[in-house]
Amino acid sequence: MTARYDIDHQTFWADPYPDLDQIRTLSPAVEVPQLGAILITRRDDVFEQEKRIETFASTQPAGLMTVLMGQNMMRKDGAAHQAERRAVFPALSPRTVRDHWTQAFATATDRILDDLAPRGAADLVRDFAMPVCGEALKVITGLTDMGADDMDRVSQHMLDGCANYAGDGDVEARCHDATAFIDAHIDAAVTRLSASPDSSVLSVQLQAGLPMDAVRANVKLVISGGQNEPRDAIAGTAWALLTHPDQHALIRDGTATYLDAFEEYARWISPIGMSPRRVDRKDEVLGRTFKPDERVFFMFGAANRDPSVFENPDRFDILRDTSKSVAFGAGPHFCAGAGATRVLIANIALPKLFGRFPDIRLTGDAPFGGWAFRGPLKVPVAWGSA
């Protein structure tokens, strides 16, 4: 008999982990009718099955991301996926990040901290992490005329649309407005970048001769994956260190690094909580029969708290071995921007924040929300005499 589990949308959004613990214990693959999907929650199952694209396909013509944002490389498999990934790679390669983006990230972060310093207080989500990621994305995408606040707004509206499994019409409308806004900025940038190519995601795709529908979809993918999740990880990791001073002390005395803290936070909270797939062929695996066109969610957030893999998985421990974390995915769709994200967060944003404000402290609660994408809604802090 097929395992089934019912959730309450609001409760699941506020804190999915109690339900995910129950689902993971119940069965390897569990139907959740409120999400219209079968959830795979155990770490080793996610790690193995995500690679089996012949059954669990990323190509989803009727999927929310494809319908709302266009068919990007994340929603393609095999040769089509690899061709577009190769076209985008020059913008995100370790050499490009080192030679082109790192200094731009650092300069923008310093400027943001300079503006914040006299205030003595801030919301780390809105006032620090959001503009840090927005400024980084402007140069990475090539959409340098877009404001950092606009980058954050359109990313949030696209991600809300991609997680809109409840079918909220207002959420869908905001997503359409966001994609139209991005298309207008792409159109304005194409002429400039065609005349003066650079290393941005938009430019390298134009140089590779990708069709414009793919170019547009991949730029939107980079925005949706490069704004909210790093934003939430910067603010969330800072919150985790502020609420676990013993862990932060390990960084201050050289026992651990900010990269260790970020990797553990990404396991613990999983800013990208799941990845959807479409069943492409009938298959019997994980104790059930999967049928064509069924929807499957690989639940990274649940996998990263699997107690059979991670000891005391609900504990934030920056000395933990996170090598089995699937925070960035596991298969051929492993996050192409992982390297740039690590540099931005662990090499620049966190050390510069705590270096500039060594006495930074929380001044209120930091509520979290989301399950497909999860992060703090606000992180109020102060420094100095504020």
Side-chain angles (χ1 to χ4, degrees):
M1 184 174 180
T2 302
R4 170 178 166 150
Y5 186 92
D6 293 302
I7 64 164
D8 173 77
H9 276 289
Q10 291 185 336
T11 301
F12 198 61
W13 183 89
D15 183 2
Y17 291 110
D19 285 318
L20 291 175
D21 287 344
Q22 293 293 320
I23 293 169
R24 189 176 52 240
T25 301
L26 183 62
S27 178
V30 178
E31 179 184 356
V32 178
Q34 291 78 15
L35 300 177
I38 300 162
L39 275 55
I40 297 176
T41 55
R42 299 175 185 177
R43 186 270 171 193
D44 289 348
D45 293 337
V46 169
F47 184 79
E48 293 298 330
Q49 299 303 321
E50 190 187 10
K51 301 171 185 177
R52 299 183 62 244
I53 59 175
E54 67 278 3
T55 294
F56 301 112
S58 295
T59 304
Q60 301 166 43
L64 287 173
M65 178 176 277
T66 302
V67 171
L68 295 170
M69 295 168 54
Q71 189 178 15
N72 58 55
M73 63 181 181
M74 190 175 175
R75 290 294 174 262
K76 296 177 182 179
D77 287 312
H81 166 73
Q82 289 299 326
E84 292 188 17
R85 193 177 180 98
R86 284 194 298 270
V88 171
F89 177 76
L92 301 172
S93 72
R95 175 178 292 181
T96 302
V97 173
R98 182 194 67 201
D99 294 347
H100 293 277
W101 308 143
T102 298
Q103 186 56 54
F105 295 168
T107 299
T109 301
D110 284 336
R111 184 174 66 249
I112 292 162
L113 289 170
D114 288 343
D115 291 341
L116 285 178
R119 294 169 48 176
D123 169 10
L124 287 183
V125 178
R126 182 192 65 231
D127 301 323
F128 179 64
M130 184 275 282
V132 164
C133 294
E135 292 296 334
L137 268 183
K138 286 168 60 177
V139 294
I140 289 175
T141 61
L143 303 183
T144 53
D145 291 335
M146 188 183 294
D149 54 344
D150 285 326
M151 194 70 77
D152 190 76
R153 174 181 58 82
V154 297
S155 176
Q156 186 65 60
H157 289 171
M158 286 192 297
L159 288 183
D160 289 345
C162 291
N164 185 28
Y165 293 101
D168 187 311
D170 291 337
V171 170
E172 181 177 345
R174 287 193 293 270
C175 184
H176 284 306
D177 287 342
T179 59
F181 185 85
I182 295 168
D183 281 335
H185 277 270
I186 290 173
D187 291 341
V190 164
T191 300
R192 168 175 56 84
L193 292 174
S194 296
S196 300
D198 61 20
S199 297
S200 68
V201 168
L202 177 53
S203 184
V204 298
Q205 289 185 98
L206 294 174
Q207 294 170 56
L210 290 187
M212 278 307 298
D213 60 341
V215 170
R216 294 180 189 278
N218 287 328
V219 169
K220 292 166 189 169
L221 171 64
V222 171
I223 293 173
S224 66
Q227 176 66 24
N228 288 45
E229 291 93 329
R231 178 200 68 193
D232 293 346
I234 290 170
T237 306
W239 166 83
L241 292 171
L242 290 170
T243 54
H244 298 77
D246 60 320
Q247 298 291 297
H248 201 185
L250 296 172
I251 298 175
R252 296 188 186 280
D253 70 15
T255 303
T257 66
Y258 283 110
L259 179 59
D260 295 326
F262 163 60
E263 297 285 6
E264 170 62 352
Y265 175 82
R267 177 208 66 83
W268 186 46
I269 298 296
S270 296
I272 302 175
M274 74 89 174
S275 184
R277 296 292 189 271
R278 177 184 57 83
V279 178
D280 199 41
R281 67 175 187 180
K282 184 178 179 180
D283 197 356
E284 293 188 10
V285 67
L286 302 179
R288 67 161 291 144
T289 299
F290 289 87
K291 301 174 183 177
D293 292 326
E294 285 185 316
R295 185 160 61 191
V296 171
F297 291 166
F298 289 115
M299 302 301 293
F300 298 151
N304 282 334
R305 292 200 185 193
D306 187 336
S308 71
V309 177
F310 302 102
E311 185 178 357
N312 297 319
D314 296 334
R315 180 171 179 262
F316 178 69
D317 177 6
I318 67 173
L319 296 182
R320 181 192 305 276
D321 179 2
T322 58
S323 61
K324 290 191 174 182
S325 169
V326 291
F328 286 103
H333 290 280
F334 183 86
C335 178
T341 298
R342 288 184 171 109
V343 168
L344 177 65
I345 296 174
N347 293 7
I348 295 172
L350 291 173
K352 283 185 176 292
L353 172 69
F354 287 107
R356 180 68 68 91
F357 306 131
D359 61 344
I360 192 171
R361 59 196 180 276
L362 288 169
T363 57
D365 293 335
F368 279 64
W371 61 271
F373 308 98
R374 185 163 182 80
L377 307 181
K378 63 177 180 178
V379 180
V381 296
W383 52 89
S385 60

